[in-house]
Amino acid sequence: MESSEKHAPCTDKNCSFCCDPVKIDKKAIISGLELPKDKNGGDLWTPTGNILIPEDKIDTDRVVTFDCKNFDEKTGKCLDYEDRPEICKNTSCIKDEDGDIDEQHRKAI
């Protein structure tokens, strides 16, 4: 059976670009995206109160940021990688899996 997960070089390279902080399009939040919960049903992500605005799309796009309970700032890794939420499993900074992964990683970070 083939995994639906995208390759995540963050685990190989100690890259925490996706979750330091977690960045979610504000439109998804407004549209009702349910934020992930921990094993006890508590919030896994805590809003930072920061909103990122791209310079080239200042009038439209907004990205809301969150701190993740499972993010280890010292190692840059997820403390519960195997049980991470689906939204984390479906994230990758690599767009072309047949291309130069190291070069794409450098561009992403």
Side-chain angles (χ1 to χ4, degrees):
M1 182 188 268
E2 215 174 287
S3 173
S4 63
E5 292 183 35
K6 296 180 184 177
H7 174 67
C10 51
T11 57
D12 304 328
K13 301 176 183 303
N14 290 340
C15 169
S16 54
F17 179 76
C18 295
C19 51
D20 184 23
V22 173
K23 297 167 273 305
I24 301 293
D25 187 330
K26 188 173 182 179
K27 291 176 195 169
I29 303 292
I30 292 170
S31 297
L33 173 72
E34 287 195 34
L35 300 180
K37 302 290 184 187
D38 63 19
K39 291 178 183 177
N40 299 320
D43 291 334
L44 187 59
W45 298 346
T46 306
T48 64
N50 295 324
I51 297 176
L52 305 175
I53 304 169
E55 290 179 4
D56 60 339
K57 296 181 179 179
I58 198 164
D59 294 332
T60 57
D61 293 347
R62 302 283 189 272
V63 176
V64 181
T65 62
F66 300 85
D67 288 326
C68 180
K69 286 183 186 178
N70 287 339
F71 175 65
D72 183 339
E73 290 183 19
K74 291 180 183 171
T75 65
K77 292 189 176 184
C78 180
L79 297 173
D80 193 10
Y81 187 78
E82 292 302 317
D83 296 320
R84 68 198 187 282
E86 285 301 315
I87 193 169
C88 299
K89 291 179 180 179
N90 294 323
T91 301
S92 176
C93 61
I94 301 304
K95 303 298 182 206
D96 177 10
E97 293 181 19
D98 296 325
D100 182 338
I101 289 176
D102 286 331
E103 180 60 29
Q104 291 177 71
H105 178 257
R106 279 192 288 280
K107 286 180 181 179
I109 60 171

